[in-house]
Structures are given as structure tokens and as C-alpha cells.
Amino acid sequence: MDIGMVGLGRMGANMAARLLRAGHRVVAHDRSEEAVAAVEADGAAGARTLDELVDSLAAPRAVWVMVPAGAPTEETIGALAERLSPGDVVADGGNSYYKDSLRRAAALAAKGLLFVDAGTSGGVWGLAEGYSLMVGGTKEAVERLRPALETLAPAPDRGWGHVGPSGAGHFVKMVHNGIEYGLMQAYAEGFELLGRKEEFGLDLHQIAELWREGSVVRSWLLDLTARALAENPTLDGVAAFVSDSGEGRWTVAEGVDLGVPLPVITLALQSRFRSREPAPFADKLLAALRGQFGGHPVKREP
């Protein structure tokens, strides 16, 4: 399959490499000359501009976009829409908000262009393991991309699926990431509790490894937990600061809109917020209030 790839961050470059290894022709573009040169060394055709990328693809064209969600995706898809021809297909494999994908699908359809929103999971391991692909769009658009989807997935018949119309792919990926927040939080809390039981001298890496075999809590996230603890058992040098990239917020907001209770996912998101504050004002106020109503001692900052 002839496919254009726009965005050669680590995941985009790995996806291009997986496609190339399967014999697909890839035309790759990125703002970074170094990134383009790197995929050229792997066998891709490099394109220094979007015009060059579009001109290098045989019609009907297929272009896969792997740039950050928000303005970069908006600008890239808008620029492609000005250059592509009716019947061409654009796939957004990033973590876009599903309502943005609905809007983009409609805007592209007005120009005769096809759109696929492909929620993509797999991270840095996707090159070797394959990617989980949650695909939204029309049947025609998805079928056009089937050869690429079957290559990027762990197997042609596993790990990817056409989950619904435009927007559905990114909606499913949004919920996937919300669930991920909750799972990660549960592992983090459990291992902290194990570590606090100091009189037992528990080896957290050993416990993670034994849970990986036969346990009902085994998972890929547990595999990665074991790997992290093997590399750094006490997590020395790792700051207790947890970022979020937006999907958890969107998941919680959707739960509010639909009246669906999401206590675990919501609390996991709130815990990430709390991790970024070295001295939360709310905790200071709690301490001050105890002093006000009960005369309890208030610990002073050094």
C-alpha cells in the first residue's frame, strides 16, 4: 500500500518502520529534517513539504497523521484538505478529542475527502508488539486503509477493529485511556502500601514478578511495573509529579454529560492533579482549621 505519514515523533516513526518492514511504500514528512532523514535511512521516501508528500502519492491517496492533538492536528488536516483530491483519505492516529474528529469528518466530507479516526494504543512498544487500533469512519474509508491497519495491528485479525462511525474510534480510545488512569492508580497505591509495611521487608520487584504469573491482577501495566522496579527499586530520582495529556479529563467530562458515575477514573485524575502541588493550599487550610476550632498544634514550614 502507498501511504503518506505526517508526524515522525517516536510513535509515528515506529509506525512508518512497521509499515516499511511489511513492504508498504511510505512517503514521510515532518518539520524536523533529522526525523525525515532517519526514516529515509529505513527505506521511506522523504518529503520536505506537504506539497511534495501529496505529489509523491498515487491517487487515490491515503495520509496518516501522527501529530499532537489540538492545534497541530487541526492545522495539519486543514493544510492537507487544501492539497488532496476527492476520494483521498485522511487518518488521524493521534489522541484527538472525538468531537473534534466528528467536526473534521464533516468538513472533509464536504470536500469529497474520506476521514478515519484511529485511536492508537501501544506506545513505544508498538513497533515490536503491534498497535491496538480503535477505528471510526465510514466502511469505505476503513476498507481503504485495511492493508495498513492489518500491518500496524498485532495481527491482521487481532488488535484492531472498525468500532463505529466517525468519532467512535477516538471516543473508544478516550475511554481506554480513562480506564488506564484507574488501573495505574490502583497499582501505584497497592505498591505504596506494600512498601510502607517496613517490618516485613517486602521486595516490591519480586512481588510484581510473582503477580505476573497466574494472578488475577496480571496485565501489561503490571509487566511494566515490574520492569520499572527492576531498573530502580526505590525509584530514586523520579519526581512525584504525574502529568496528564487530556483524555482522562475528557472521559470524566463525558461521564458528567451522560450521567454515568466514574468514581475510580475521576479520583485517579484528581490524584494526578494533587501530585503536581508540593504544598497544596487545601491541606494548609485543613491544618489551620483544626487549630482554629480545636486548638490542635499546627506544624510550621521551615
Side-chain angles (χ1 to χ4, degrees):
M1 180 179 182
D2 216 23
I3 187 164
M5 177 70 70
V6 180
L8 299 171
R10 189 167 184 182
M11 184 177 284
N14 283 348
M15 295 177 84
R18 192 169 173 90
L19 290 166
L20 286 165
R21 291 177 185 179
H24 299 284
R25 177 175 179 268
V26 176
V27 181
H29 169 72
D30 191 275
R31 292 182 178 181
S32 166
E33 171 60 29
E34 292 78 9
V36 175
V39 295
E40 283 181 320
D42 286 339
R48 271 63 189 177
T49 66
L50 288 181
D51 287 317
E52 184 181 350
L53 178 135
V54 170
D55 290 342
S56 299
L57 293 169
R61 304 171 185 84
V63 181
W64 191 289
V65 177
M66 284 298 293
V67 301
T73 296
E74 188 77 12
E75 294 167 6
T76 300
I77 292 179
L80 285 169
E82 295 174 358
R83 293 164 170 79
L84 295 172
S85 303
D88 293 345
V89 58
V90 176
D92 177 9
N95 281 325
S96 292
Y97 186 34
Y98 81 95
K99 290 184 179 179
D100 289 336
S101 297
L102 283 168
R103 174 176 52 78
R104 289 169 187 149
L108 292 177
K111 295 177 176 288
L113 301 171
L114 304 174
F115 179 74
V116 166
D117 52 292
T120 305
S121 182
V124 299
W125 299 89
L127 176 59
E129 304 290 336
Y131 298 90
S132 175
L133 299 165
M134 298 142 263
V135 184
T138 64
K139 182 177 180 181
E140 177 188 4
V142 174
E143 285 301 313
R144 283 274 307 283
L145 284 176
R146 177 181 286 273
L149 296 170
E150 291 180 344
T151 296
L152 293 171
D157 59 345
R158 290 186 290 107
W160 80 275
H162 184 189
V163 298
S166 295
H170 281 150
F171 182 82
V172 173
K173 179 56 162 53
M174 177 190 77
V175 177
H176 163 283
N177 282 26
I179 293 170
E180 179 185 291
Y181 280 37
L183 291 172
M184 291 173 68
Q185 186 69 28
Y187 282 127
E189 292 176 6
F191 277 93
E192 179 167 18
L193 182 59
L194 290 168
R196 290 291 185 92
K197 196 66 173 174
E198 295 178 0
E199 62 265 39
F200 285 167
L202 299 173
D203 182 333
L204 302 188
H205 173 243
Q206 177 200 30
I207 293 167
E209 289 290 353
L210 71 89
W211 282 354
R212 292 178 63 201
E213 306 296 335
S215 164
V216 296
V217 299
R218 65 187 184 274
S219 73
W220 187 51
L221 286 173
L222 182 60
D223 295 344
L224 297 179
T225 299
R227 186 171 185 261
L229 291 171
E231 294 172 351
N232 189 353
T234 58
L235 302 184
D236 289 342
V238 179
F241 184 104
V242 188
S243 299
D244 76 283
S245 53
E247 295 88 348
R249 302 184 191 212
W250 299 337
T251 303
V252 171
E254 194 70 24
V256 173
D257 288 345
L258 296 178
V260 177
L262 304 173
V264 172
I265 294 172
T266 301
L267 184 56
L269 175 65
Q270 296 292 337
S271 294
R272 293 192 179 199
F273 295 160
R274 175 53 69 95
S275 77
R276 302 169 204 171
E277 300 194 25
F281 180 82
D283 290 351
K284 292 184 178 184
L285 184 57
L286 287 171
L289 283 171
R290 292 185 78 247
Q292 289 289 330
F293 69 71
H296 301 289
V298 176
K299 184 177 180 179
R300 299 296 175 181
E301 292 179 334

